Amino acid sequence: MGAVRKTRIVIPCYNESQRLLPQAFLSALHNDPSLSFLFVNDGSTDSTLQVLNSIRDKYPAQVDVLDLETNCGKAEAVRRGVLEASEGPFQYVGYWDADLATPLDAIDEFCAVLDKRQVDAVLGSRVRLLGRRIKRRPVRHYLGRIFATCASVLLGMNIYDTQCGAKIFRNSTALHMVFASPFKVSWIFDVEMLARFPLVLDASCAEVSANWVEFPLHEWQDVKGSKLRGTDYFKALAEFGTLFFFLKTPVRKAYRRYLQGGGSRPADSRT
């Protein structure tokens, strides 16, 4: 009898051949047969695809590679990957940054929270507490706090860190609907993604976020070669305006129909 494939993690990759740590992924797969990865090669122009295929060749039962011919951006790569993963026999589906700023051993901790507390999502949170190794450049930290405050106001949720690239969800029809339609923004797609859940569930933000947990990471670090630039914060501010338009104006009703594919029946959070 084969191992139960419990958790699938989507890894978006764009020109990551020099930053990927194949051995870290191989060790995680060896240590947990219920874990699997779906690598999304987002139109890389370097040897990323070859690196990903070499990982798959060593663990073909636990690794798949989705090869996008053209670069679509992280938001679309994550969306395509999570959508495909949500259609599989996995209990939990999440996504993780390819640079492993958040170490892979946190996946087991996230899943333990999902198991024990029976919540719908566990979101990584970079909180600089004593005893934790959160190594973030000061300017990035303080800009991030401003960003998080704006995101909390827009979402109507008390959330500390929307942008951490480590998130795992309970697989459900709601998750599938949240990722079924392309995002309206790219740099702050995590915010739009979280905002979609109350819309597809026809529930209040408070009701939905009551079933989410922010998990203070034990370790996180800025990894050299990050594609995030200072000017991207200005792009993110502009995208807040886009999300405000879709979430806080009468256009919200049309946006909800967009997520539901024209239907009117809300999704189930657990199926």
Side-chain angles (χ1 to χ4, degrees), residues 5-11 36-40 64 66 77-95 169-172 175-176 179:
R5 300 174 72 188
K6 180 179 177 181
T7 305
R8 169 146 282 197
I9 302 297
V10 173
I11 311 289
S36 66
F37 294 111
L38 172 59
F39 293 97
V40 181
D64 284 309
L66 176 60
V78 168
R79 190 190 72 81
R80 296 272 294 273
V82 172
L83 186 63
E84 179 168 315
S86 69
E87 295 171 348
F90 303 103
Q91 186 176 2
Y92 304 136
V93 173
Y95 59 89
F169 304 87
R170 188 176 301 279
N171 199 3
S172 67
L175 180 70
H176 186 84
F179 284 88

mmCIF file of all heavy atoms in Angstrom, residues 5-11 36-40 64 66 77-95 169-172 175-176 179:
data_model
loop_
_atom_site.group_PDB
_atom_site.id
_atom_site.type_symbol
_atom_site.label_atom_id
_atom_site.label_comp_id
_atom_site.label_asym_id
_atom_site.label_seq_id
_atom_site.Cartn_x
_atom_site.Cartn_y
_atom_site.Cartn_z
ATOM 1 N N ARG A 5 -0.690 10.685 0.198
ATOM 2 C CA ARG A 5 -0.133 11.966 -0.236
ATOM 3 C C ARG A 5 -0.960 13.067 0.427
ATOM 4 O O ARG A 5 -1.947 13.539 -0.102
ATOM 5 C CB ARG A 5 -0.146 12.034 -1.753
ATOM 6 C CG ARG A 5 0.674 10.924 -2.387
ATOM 7 C CD ARG A 5 0.544 10.920 -3.884
ATOM 8 N NE ARG A 5 1.257 12.052 -4.466
ATOM 9 C CZ ARG A 5 1.181 12.370 -5.756
ATOM 10 N NH1 ARG A 5 0.406 11.681 -6.556
ATOM 11 N NH2 ARG A 5 1.861 13.396 -6.228
ATOM 12 N N LYS A 6 -0.533 13.470 1.572
ATOM 13 C CA LYS A 6 -1.324 14.363 2.409
ATOM 14 C C LYS A 6 -1.169 15.834 2.034
ATOM 15 O O LYS A 6 -2.136 16.579 1.993
ATOM 16 C CB LYS A 6 -0.898 14.156 3.865
ATOM 17 C CG LYS A 6 -1.608 15.012 4.873
ATOM 18 C CD LYS A 6 -1.092 14.670 6.267
ATOM 19 C CE LYS A 6 -1.714 15.536 7.336
ATOM 20 N NZ LYS A 6 -1.188 15.212 8.679
ATOM 21 N N THR A 7 0.049 16.262 1.766
ATOM 22 C CA THR A 7 0.322 17.686 1.592
ATOM 23 C C THR A 7 1.043 17.947 0.275
ATOM 24 O O THR A 7 2.043 17.292 -0.036
ATOM 25 C CB THR A 7 1.209 18.202 2.746
ATOM 26 O OG1 THR A 7 0.583 17.903 3.987
ATOM 27 C CG2 THR A 7 1.411 19.715 2.627
ATOM 28 N N ARG A 8 0.529 18.910 -0.489
ATOM 29 C CA ARG A 8 1.225 19.321 -1.715
ATOM 30 C C ARG A 8 1.566 20.799 -1.602
ATOM 31 O O ARG A 8 0.700 21.639 -1.342
ATOM 32 C CB ARG A 8 0.374 19.067 -2.953
ATOM 33 C CG ARG A 8 0.951 19.731 -4.213
ATOM 34 C CD ARG A 8 0.718 18.941 -5.471
ATOM 35 N NE ARG A 8 1.665 17.806 -5.560
ATOM 36 C CZ ARG A 8 1.925 17.133 -6.679
ATOM 37 N NH1 ARG A 8 1.300 17.454 -7.792
ATOM 38 N NH2 ARG A 8 2.778 16.124 -6.692
ATOM 39 N N ILE A 9 2.841 21.088 -1.810
ATOM 40 C CA ILE A 9 3.330 22.463 -1.737
ATOM 41 C C ILE A 9 3.755 22.924 -3.127
ATOM 42 O O ILE A 9 4.561 22.272 -3.791
ATOM 43 C CB ILE A 9 4.528 22.572 -0.765
ATOM 44 C CG1 ILE A 9 4.138 22.103 0.634
ATOM 45 C CG2 ILE A 9 5.041 24.018 -0.730
ATOM 46 C CD1 ILE A 9 3.057 22.921 1.301
ATOM 47 N N VAL A 10 3.210 24.059 -3.538
ATOM 48 C CA VAL A 10 3.539 24.652 -4.832
ATOM 49 C C VAL A 10 4.758 25.573 -4.657
ATOM 50 O O VAL A 10 4.790 26.405 -3.746
ATOM 51 C CB VAL A 10 2.334 25.448 -5.373
ATOM 52 C CG1 VAL A 10 2.716 26.225 -6.631
ATOM 53 C CG2 VAL A 10 1.154 24.518 -5.644
ATOM 54 N N ILE A 11 5.749 25.400 -5.538
ATOM 55 C CA ILE A 11 6.967 26.212 -5.495
ATOM 56 C C ILE A 11 7.085 26.976 -6.817
ATOM 57 O O ILE A 11 7.456 26.395 -7.844
ATOM 58 C CB ILE A 11 8.233 25.341 -5.303
ATOM 59 C CG1 ILE A 11 8.060 24.335 -4.150
ATOM 60 C CG2 ILE A 11 9.464 26.231 -5.108
ATOM 61 C CD1 ILE A 11 8.063 24.949 -2.781
ATOM 62 N N SER A 36 4.576 16.278 -0.884
ATOM 63 C CA SER A 36 4.945 16.333 -2.303
ATOM 64 C C SER A 36 5.040 17.787 -2.739
ATOM 65 O O SER A 36 4.463 18.679 -2.111
ATOM 66 C CB SER A 36 3.921 15.587 -3.173
ATOM 67 O OG SER A 36 2.671 16.239 -3.151
ATOM 68 N N PHE A 37 5.786 17.997 -3.809
ATOM 69 C CA PHE A 37 5.977 19.349 -4.339
ATOM 70 C C PHE A 37 5.478 19.420 -5.787
ATOM 71 O O PHE A 37 5.657 18.467 -6.562
ATOM 72 C CB PHE A 37 7.463 19.741 -4.326
ATOM 73 C CG PHE A 37 8.048 19.884 -2.953
ATOM 74 C CD1 PHE A 37 8.992 18.978 -2.491
ATOM 75 C CD2 PHE A 37 7.653 20.920 -2.112
ATOM 76 C CE1 PHE A 37 9.541 19.109 -1.220
ATOM 77 C CE2 PHE A 37 8.194 21.059 -0.847
ATOM 78 C CZ PHE A 37 9.133 20.149 -0.392
ATOM 79 N N LEU A 38 4.879 20.552 -6.113
ATOM 80 C CA LEU A 38 4.582 20.885 -7.499
ATOM 81 C C LEU A 38 5.378 22.139 -7.835
ATOM 82 O O LEU A 38 5.054 23.242 -7.380
ATOM 83 C CB LEU A 38 3.081 21.149 -7.693
ATOM 84 C CG LEU A 38 2.671 21.695 -9.071
ATOM 85 C CD1 LEU A 38 3.083 20.737 -10.191
ATOM 86 C CD2 LEU A 38 1.179 21.959 -9.128
ATOM 87 N N PHE A 39 6.453 21.955 -8.572
ATOM 88 C CA PHE A 39 7.278 23.090 -8.997
ATOM 89 C C PHE A 39 6.656 23.712 -10.256
ATOM 90 O O PHE A 39 6.320 22.984 -11.204
ATOM 91 C CB PHE A 39 8.712 22.635 -9.307
ATOM 92 C CG PHE A 39 9.478 22.161 -8.097
ATOM 93 C CD1 PHE A 39 9.570 20.806 -7.795
ATOM 94 C CD2 PHE A 39 10.112 23.076 -7.256
ATOM 95 C CE1 PHE A 39 10.280 20.361 -6.681
ATOM 96 C CE2 PHE A 39 10.822 22.638 -6.135
ATOM 97 C CZ PHE A 39 10.905 21.282 -5.849
ATOM 98 N N VAL A 40 6.512 25.031 -10.229
ATOM 99 C CA VAL A 40 5.987 25.725 -11.406
ATOM 100 C C VAL A 40 7.119 26.529 -12.015
ATOM 101 O O VAL A 40 7.578 27.527 -11.434
ATOM 102 C CB VAL A 40 4.813 26.659 -11.030
ATOM 103 C CG1 VAL A 40 4.277 27.335 -12.292
ATOM 104 C CG2 VAL A 40 3.706 25.885 -10.321
ATOM 105 N N ASP A 64 6.065 16.841 -9.108
ATOM 106 C CA ASP A 64 5.610 17.151 -10.463
ATOM 107 C C ASP A 64 6.171 18.516 -10.842
ATOM 108 O O ASP A 64 6.431 19.360 -9.976
ATOM 109 C CB ASP A 64 4.085 17.164 -10.541
ATOM 110 C CG ASP A 64 3.504 15.759 -10.555
ATOM 111 O OD1 ASP A 64 3.959 14.937 -11.378
ATOM 112 O OD2 ASP A 64 2.608 15.472 -9.739
ATOM 113 N N LEU A 66 5.271 21.725 -13.378
ATOM 114 C CA LEU A 66 4.373 22.407 -14.315
ATOM 115 C C LEU A 66 5.213 23.443 -15.051
ATOM 116 O O LEU A 66 5.707 24.388 -14.432
ATOM 117 C CB LEU A 66 3.223 23.072 -13.554
ATOM 118 C CG LEU A 66 2.240 23.916 -14.381
ATOM 119 C CD1 LEU A 66 1.565 23.083 -15.453
ATOM 120 C CD2 LEU A 66 1.197 24.559 -13.471
ATOM 121 N N ALA A 77 1.814 32.206 -11.499
ATOM 122 C CA ALA A 77 2.464 30.900 -11.309
ATOM 123 C C ALA A 77 1.906 30.205 -10.072
ATOM 124 O O ALA A 77 1.610 29.004 -10.094
ATOM 125 C CB ALA A 77 3.976 31.089 -11.175
ATOM 126 N N VAL A 78 1.754 30.959 -8.984
ATOM 127 C CA VAL A 78 1.175 30.376 -7.764
ATOM 128 C C VAL A 78 -0.271 29.957 -8.024
ATOM 129 O O VAL A 78 -0.701 28.870 -7.632
ATOM 130 C CB VAL A 78 1.244 31.387 -6.605
ATOM 131 C CG1 VAL A 78 0.397 30.919 -5.426
ATOM 132 C CG2 VAL A 78 2.691 31.592 -6.157
ATOM 133 N N ARG A 79 -1.015 30.829 -8.691
ATOM 134 C CA ARG A 79 -2.429 30.518 -8.948
ATOM 135 C C ARG A 79 -2.569 29.239 -9.766
ATOM 136 O O ARG A 79 -3.358 28.358 -9.425
ATOM 137 C CB ARG A 79 -3.093 31.682 -9.699
ATOM 138 C CG ARG A 79 -4.614 31.549 -9.790
ATOM 139 C CD ARG A 79 -5.200 32.574 -10.736
ATOM 140 N NE ARG A 79 -4.899 32.280 -12.124
ATOM 141 C CZ ARG A 79 -5.561 31.405 -12.883
ATOM 142 N NH1 ARG A 79 -6.583 30.737 -12.355
ATOM 143 N NH2 ARG A 79 -5.232 31.181 -14.139
ATOM 144 N N ARG A 80 -1.802 29.124 -10.839
ATOM 145 C CA ARG A 80 -1.896 27.931 -11.691
ATOM 146 C C ARG A 80 -1.499 26.689 -10.912
ATOM 147 O O ARG A 80 -2.099 25.616 -11.054
ATOM 148 C CB ARG A 80 -0.998 28.111 -12.918
ATOM 149 C CG ARG A 80 -1.403 29.266 -13.845
ATOM 150 C CD ARG A 80 -2.404 28.825 -14.873
ATOM 151 N NE ARG A 80 -1.835 27.863 -15.804
ATOM 152 C CZ ARG A 80 -1.170 28.197 -16.923
ATOM 153 N NH1 ARG A 80 -0.998 29.475 -17.232
ATOM 154 N NH2 ARG A 80 -0.713 27.269 -17.734
ATOM 155 N N GLY A 81 -0.482 26.815 -10.086
ATOM 156 C CA GLY A 81 -0.027 25.659 -9.320
ATOM 157 C C GLY A 81 -1.024 25.228 -8.260
ATOM 158 O O GLY A 81 -1.343 24.032 -8.133
ATOM 159 N N VAL A 82 -1.527 26.183 -7.488
ATOM 160 C CA VAL A 82 -2.486 25.829 -6.421
ATOM 161 C C VAL A 82 -3.774 25.290 -7.025
ATOM 162 O O VAL A 82 -4.387 24.347 -6.492
ATOM 163 C CB VAL A 82 -2.757 27.048 -5.514
ATOM 164 C CG1 VAL A 82 -3.888 26.739 -4.530
ATOM 165 C CG2 VAL A 82 -1.496 27.443 -4.759
ATOM 166 N N LEU A 83 -4.197 25.874 -8.148
ATOM 167 C CA LEU A 83 -5.419 25.385 -8.798
ATOM 168 C C LEU A 83 -5.259 23.927 -9.201
ATOM 169 O O LEU A 83 -6.159 23.104 -8.956
ATOM 170 C CB LEU A 83 -5.722 26.252 -10.027
ATOM 171 C CG LEU A 83 -7.036 25.969 -10.747
ATOM 172 C CD1 LEU A 83 -8.222 26.251 -9.840
ATOM 173 C CD2 LEU A 83 -7.131 26.814 -12.025
ATOM 174 N N GLU A 84 -4.114 23.597 -9.792
ATOM 175 C CA GLU A 84 -3.885 22.204 -10.193
ATOM 176 C C GLU A 84 -3.777 21.291 -8.969
ATOM 177 O O GLU A 84 -4.347 20.197 -8.937
ATOM 178 C CB GLU A 84 -2.612 22.098 -11.029
ATOM 179 C CG GLU A 84 -2.310 20.667 -11.468
ATOM 180 C CD GLU A 84 -1.237 20.592 -12.533
ATOM 181 O OE1 GLU A 84 -1.291 21.384 -13.479
ATOM 182 O OE2 GLU A 84 -0.343 19.722 -12.408
ATOM 183 N N ALA A 85 -3.083 21.760 -7.942
ATOM 184 C CA ALA A 85 -2.920 20.933 -6.739
ATOM 185 C C ALA A 85 -4.251 20.695 -6.039
ATOM 186 O O ALA A 85 -4.491 19.610 -5.496
ATOM 187 C CB ALA A 85 -1.933 21.605 -5.783
ATOM 188 N N SER A 86 -5.126 21.697 -6.050
ATOM 189 C CA SER A 86 -6.413 21.568 -5.351
ATOM 190 C C SER A 86 -7.317 20.547 -6.015
ATOM 191 O O SER A 86 -8.298 20.098 -5.414
ATOM 192 C CB SER A 86 -7.121 22.934 -5.282
ATOM 193 O OG SER A 86 -7.563 23.345 -6.566
ATOM 194 N N GLU A 87 -6.997 20.177 -7.243
ATOM 195 C CA GLU A 87 -7.792 19.167 -7.952
ATOM 196 C C GLU A 87 -7.301 17.752 -7.653
ATOM 197 O O GLU A 87 -7.899 16.778 -8.112
ATOM 198 C CB GLU A 87 -7.734 19.438 -9.456
ATOM 199 C CG GLU A 87 -8.403 20.761 -9.848
ATOM 200 C CD GLU A 87 -8.167 21.146 -11.298
ATOM 201 O OE1 GLU A 87 -7.302 20.498 -11.940
ATOM 202 O OE2 GLU A 87 -8.821 22.090 -11.780
ATOM 203 N N GLY A 88 -6.234 17.632 -6.894
ATOM 204 C CA GLY A 88 -5.673 16.328 -6.573
ATOM 205 C C GLY A 88 -6.133 15.826 -5.211
ATOM 206 O O GLY A 88 -6.812 16.525 -4.468
ATOM 207 N N PRO A 89 -5.703 14.578 -4.865
ATOM 208 C CA PRO A 89 -6.149 13.943 -3.617
ATOM 209 C C PRO A 89 -5.303 14.366 -2.424
ATOM 210 O O PRO A 89 -4.762 13.523 -1.702
ATOM 211 C CB PRO A 89 -5.956 12.456 -3.928
ATOM 212 C CG PRO A 89 -4.748 12.443 -4.812
ATOM 213 C CD PRO A 89 -4.833 13.690 -5.659
ATOM 214 N N PHE A 90 -5.207 15.663 -2.215
ATOM 215 C CA PHE A 90 -4.368 16.171 -1.136
ATOM 216 C C PHE A 90 -5.231 16.806 -0.051
ATOM 217 O O PHE A 90 -6.184 17.521 -0.346
ATOM 218 C CB PHE A 90 -3.367 17.205 -1.676
ATOM 219 C CG PHE A 90 -2.510 16.667 -2.774
ATOM 220 C CD1 PHE A 90 -2.766 16.990 -4.094
ATOM 221 C CD2 PHE A 90 -1.470 15.800 -2.483
ATOM 222 C CE1 PHE A 90 -1.991 16.477 -5.116
ATOM 223 C CE2 PHE A 90 -0.691 15.275 -3.501
ATOM 224 C CZ PHE A 90 -0.948 15.606 -4.819
ATOM 225 N N GLN A 91 -4.858 16.542 1.187
ATOM 226 C CA GLN A 91 -5.595 17.114 2.310
ATOM 227 C C GLN A 91 -5.259 18.592 2.478
ATOM 228 O O GLN A 91 -6.136 19.401 2.767
ATOM 229 C CB GLN A 91 -5.263 16.346 3.587
ATOM 230 C CG GLN A 91 -6.087 16.769 4.793
ATOM 231 C CD GLN A 91 -5.790 15.910 6.016
ATOM 232 O OE1 GLN A 91 -4.924 15.013 5.976
ATOM 233 N NE2 GLN A 91 -6.503 16.148 7.095
ATOM 234 N N TYR A 92 -3.977 18.910 2.309
ATOM 235 C CA TYR A 92 -3.524 20.289 2.463
ATOM 236 C C TYR A 92 -2.773 20.721 1.202
ATOM 237 O O TYR A 92 -2.012 19.950 0.621
ATOM 238 C CB TYR A 92 -2.582 20.424 3.668
ATOM 239 C CG TYR A 92 -3.162 19.948 4.979
ATOM 240 C CD1 TYR A 92 -2.401 19.171 5.856
ATOM 241 C CD2 TYR A 92 -4.463 20.278 5.359
ATOM 242 C CE1 TYR A 92 -2.924 18.734 7.066
ATOM 243 C CE2 TYR A 92 -4.988 19.841 6.559
ATOM 244 C CZ TYR A 92 -4.223 19.067 7.410
ATOM 245 O OH TYR A 92 -4.744 18.632 8.608
ATOM 246 N N VAL A 93 -2.989 21.982 0.834
ATOM 247 C CA VAL A 93 -2.311 22.560 -0.330
ATOM 248 C C VAL A 93 -1.762 23.926 0.082
ATOM 249 O O VAL A 93 -2.469 24.718 0.719
ATOM 250 C CB VAL A 93 -3.281 22.728 -1.517
ATOM 251 C CG1 VAL A 93 -2.600 23.490 -2.655
ATOM 252 C CG2 VAL A 93 -3.780 21.376 -2.014
ATOM 253 N N GLY A 94 -0.515 24.184 -0.286
ATOM 254 C CA GLY A 94 0.066 25.479 0.070
ATOM 255 C C GLY A 94 1.058 25.948 -0.957
ATOM 256 O O GLY A 94 1.250 25.308 -1.997
ATOM 257 N N TYR A 95 1.683 27.065 -0.688
ATOM 258 C CA TYR A 95 2.776 27.529 -1.548
ATOM 259 C C TYR A 95 3.901 28.084 -0.692
ATOM 260 O O TYR A 95 3.692 28.519 0.439
ATOM 261 C CB TYR A 95 2.308 28.522 -2.612
ATOM 262 C CG TYR A 95 1.649 29.787 -2.133
ATOM 263 C CD1 TYR A 95 2.398 30.937 -1.849
ATOM 264 C CD2 TYR A 95 0.272 29.878 -2.012
ATOM 265 C CE1 TYR A 95 1.787 32.119 -1.460
ATOM 266 C CE2 TYR A 95 -0.354 31.052 -1.609
ATOM 267 C CZ TYR A 95 0.405 32.169 -1.330
ATOM 268 O OH TYR A 95 -0.198 33.337 -0.924
ATOM 269 N N PHE A 169 -3.141 25.672 3.164
ATOM 270 C CA PHE A 169 -4.594 25.698 3.322
ATOM 271 C C PHE A 169 -5.153 24.278 3.361
ATOM 272 O O PHE A 169 -4.586 23.355 2.768
ATOM 273 C CB PHE A 169 -5.245 26.437 2.138
ATOM 274 C CG PHE A 169 -4.732 27.829 1.936
ATOM 275 C CD1 PHE A 169 -3.596 28.053 1.147
ATOM 276 C CD2 PHE A 169 -5.349 28.910 2.533
ATOM 277 C CE1 PHE A 169 -3.111 29.337 0.954
ATOM 278 C CE2 PHE A 169 -4.869 30.193 2.345
ATOM 279 C CZ PHE A 169 -3.749 30.408 1.556
ATOM 280 N N ARG A 170 -6.306 24.142 3.999
ATOM 281 C CA ARG A 170 -7.056 22.898 3.900
ATOM 282 C C ARG A 170 -7.685 22.858 2.501
ATOM 283 O O ARG A 170 -8.309 23.828 2.078
ATOM 284 C CB ARG A 170 -8.146 22.860 4.984
ATOM 285 C CG ARG A 170 -8.863 21.533 5.112
ATOM 286 C CD ARG A 170 -9.849 21.585 6.282
ATOM 287 N NE ARG A 170 -9.165 21.874 7.536
ATOM 288 C CZ ARG A 170 -8.527 20.964 8.262
ATOM 289 N NH1 ARG A 170 -8.516 19.710 7.863
ATOM 290 N NH2 ARG A 170 -7.914 21.305 9.383
ATOM 291 N N ASN A 171 -7.522 21.766 1.794
ATOM 292 C CA ASN A 171 -8.057 21.668 0.449
ATOM 293 C C ASN A 171 -9.584 21.636 0.479
ATOM 294 O O ASN A 171 -10.186 20.914 1.293
ATOM 295 C CB ASN A 171 -7.526 20.404 -0.243
ATOM 296 C CG ASN A 171 -7.650 20.466 -1.744
ATOM 297 O OD1 ASN A 171 -8.088 21.471 -2.307
ATOM 298 N ND2 ASN A 171 -7.252 19.393 -2.416
ATOM 299 N N SER A 172 -10.220 22.419 -0.362
ATOM 300 C CA SER A 172 -11.678 22.546 -0.336
ATOM 301 C C SER A 172 -12.164 23.161 -1.639
ATOM 302 O O SER A 172 -11.368 23.664 -2.449
ATOM 303 C CB SER A 172 -12.105 23.440 0.836
ATOM 304 O OG SER A 172 -11.660 24.773 0.616
ATOM 305 N N LEU A 175 -11.169 26.824 -1.651
ATOM 306 C CA LEU A 175 -9.795 27.070 -2.085
ATOM 307 C C LEU A 175 -9.705 27.036 -3.607
ATOM 308 O O LEU A 175 -9.063 27.886 -4.228
ATOM 309 C CB LEU A 175 -8.859 26.020 -1.474
ATOM 310 C CG LEU A 175 -7.379 26.175 -1.847
ATOM 311 C CD1 LEU A 175 -6.780 27.403 -1.189
ATOM 312 C CD2 LEU A 175 -6.587 24.928 -1.437
ATOM 313 N N HIS A 176 -10.379 26.058 -4.193
ATOM 314 C CA HIS A 176 -10.364 25.936 -5.653
ATOM 315 C C HIS A 176 -10.965 27.191 -6.305
ATOM 316 O O HIS A 176 -10.414 27.711 -7.287
ATOM 317 C CB HIS A 176 -11.161 24.697 -6.063
ATOM 318 C CG HIS A 176 -11.091 24.401 -7.530
ATOM 319 N ND1 HIS A 176 -10.058 23.702 -8.110
ATOM 320 C CD2 HIS A 176 -11.932 24.732 -8.535
ATOM 321 C CE1 HIS A 176 -10.257 23.611 -9.406
ATOM 322 N NE2 HIS A 176 -11.395 24.228 -9.696
ATOM 323 N N PHE A 179 -8.699 30.345 -6.275
ATOM 324 C CA PHE A 179 -7.589 30.343 -7.230
ATOM 325 C C PHE A 179 -8.049 30.085 -8.671
ATOM 326 O O PHE A 179 -7.214 29.987 -9.567
ATOM 327 C CB PHE A 179 -6.545 29.303 -6.819
ATOM 328 C CG PHE A 179 -5.689 29.743 -5.653
ATOM 329 C CD1 PHE A 179 -6.081 29.497 -4.354
ATOM 330 C CD2 PHE A 179 -4.505 30.438 -5.859
ATOM 331 C CE1 PHE A 179 -5.311 29.919 -3.262
ATOM 332 C CE2 PHE A 179 -3.729 30.862 -4.797
ATOM 333 C CZ PHE A 179 -4.129 30.607 -3.488
#
